Amino acid sequence: MHDGTSQGRAMTERLFFAASEGFEAARRITRLPPDHRANGLHGHSFVAQVRAALPAAWGGYRGAELAALRAHLAQAVEPLDYAHLNTLLEQPADEQLACWLRERLDLPGVYSVGIRSTCDAGADLASDGQAHIWRKYAFESAHRLPNVGPGHKCGRMHGHGFKIVLHAAGAAGARENPIDYDLLDAVWAPLHKELDFSCLNDLPGLGNPTSELMSSWIWQRLKPQLAALSRVTVYETASCGAHFDGTHYRIWKDMPLDSAVRLKYAPEGDPRRRIHGHTYVLRLHLHAP
């Protein structure tokens, strides 16, 4: 994936390679109250993720970087698979697992490391050392966008099954007063009641309920209650949405494409030298104050 920033006519381009690897493991989170469900032995189908700016031909030849990154991540994750995580870490919460993994990834240019414990929750360790835990929520609402051009379908009353992701930042591996998913649940619950099965246009401040304005509207209501809130993400559909971090918006849209490819630098006998194909997803971003 690419991440470009521009200032005037200058543009900086950075190329990141991303890989993920699953593992099955059991754990107990004993820093939580004794009666908390996660204090008991339980398990998840975890997913580990990494993004890194790898040197060209890091995998041995141009085009092999991604496969080599996947293999490297799989090797780092192997001790976690079918393991009791408390034998490796005293507190194997998602953010601590991300720190553990980051220390074992002997990779150049690591930008972020993430652990997803369920489809709706996880933690990302950023390059600045901060851990961002996140939790995904859903609500069903109607809306219309009053400022689109004549005849635009979004100008008609319609609805979506919205997804919201709340991100909260803290020091990586914090043991005292760590951000917990239950805290995110608690601050989100009253807002969920307001948004779910409603017409968003009728809510004060949401006369024009685009995804980006919804993200800042939610931010303004939750930030006073959750100082650690670092980002609000709104998925209008599975393929488009926006997020707000208190100062900047980023909106995106996914577009699939089906294409053929061959890796001409692969060694003789490697099947990737032959023409083959993939269904790609291109995500375009716009980022602004």
Side-chain angles (χ1 to χ4, degrees):
M1 61 184 67
H2 283 83
D3 183 19
T5 57
S6 63
Q7 184 175 10
R9 293 187 177 181
M11 174 168 282
T12 300
E13 183 182 82
R14 293 178 293 171
L15 176 63
F16 293 102
F17 293 88
S20 62
E21 182 71 19
F23 61 96
E24 313 291 328
R27 68 178 179 183
R28 298 177 63 224
I29 311 298
T30 58
R31 72 186 186 191
L32 297 171
D35 59 347
H36 194 286
R37 62 189 182 280
N39 206 322
L41 187 63
H42 61 287
H44 298 287
S45 294
F46 293 87
V47 176
Q49 301 167 312
V50 62
R51 279 203 301 163
L54 301 173
W58 180 77
Y61 59 90
R62 286 172 58 189
E65 296 89 352
L66 184 55
L69 179 62
R70 287 172 177 161
H72 189 90
L73 178 60
Q75 183 179 21
V77 164
E78 195 276 334
L80 304 176
D81 196 29
Y82 281 81
H84 185 175
L85 298 178
N86 295 79
T87 63
L88 298 171
L89 296 91
E90 181 182 352
Q91 296 294 334
D94 291 350
E95 65 271 28
Q96 274 83 11
L97 283 170
C99 293
W100 183 94
L101 181 60
R102 176 64 184 89
E103 291 173 359
R104 283 153 182 80
L105 284 172
D106 184 19
L107 286 171
V110 173
Y111 184 73
S112 65
V113 174
I115 293 289
R116 194 177 74 218
S117 50
T118 73
C119 293
D120 297 326
D124 295 316
L125 181 62
S127 57
D128 62 3
Q130 275 203 320
H132 297 256
I133 75 161
W134 57 269
R135 177 88 104 176
K136 185 184 294 183
Y137 304 94
F139 62 91
E140 313 291 331
S141 299
H143 76 162
R144 60 179 294 271
L145 304 185
N147 297 335
V148 297
H152 195 293
K153 64 181 181 180
C154 292
R156 303 194 299 268
M157 184 62 71
H158 61 287
H160 299 288
F162 290 91
K163 304 290 186 183
I164 304 296
V165 186
L166 302 183
H167 308 251
R175 293 178 56 85
E176 299 299 326
N177 301 315
I179 300 297
D180 181 58
Y181 296 124
D182 287 353
L183 177 58
L184 298 183
D185 292 346
V187 299
W188 170 250
L191 203 54
H192 178 265
K193 291 181 180 179
E194 190 174 358
L195 292 167
D196 197 31
F197 283 84
S198 70
C199 177
L200 301 178
N201 301 75
D202 295 338
L203 299 178
L206 274 183
N208 181 31
T210 63
S211 295
E212 64 272 21
L213 294 181
M214 286 175 60
S215 64
S216 57
W217 185 89
I218 293 171
W219 172 280
Q220 291 162 11
R221 279 149 184 79
L222 296 186
K223 185 66 172 177
Q225 306 170 58
L226 183 63
L229 186 68
S230 57
R231 185 165 60 195
V232 174
T233 303
V234 175
Y235 285 88
E236 185 172 293
T237 70
S239 61
C240 67
H243 74 234
F244 182 67
D245 63 6
T247 58
H248 286 77
Y249 295 97
R250 183 185 293 270
I251 65 173
W252 72 83
K253 185 170 179 63
D254 289 349
M255 285 159 279
L257 58 142
D258 298 286
S259 300
V261 64
R262 70 180 184 89
L263 302 187
K264 64 181 181 181
Y265 296 107
E268 291 290 342
D270 191 311
R272 289 168 293 182
R273 281 181 67 95
R274 302 194 298 266
I275 191 164
H276 56 286
H278 302 289
T279 296
Y280 296 88
V281 176
L282 172 68
R283 174 170 286 190
L284 296 180
H285 300 252
L286 291 175
H287 180 258

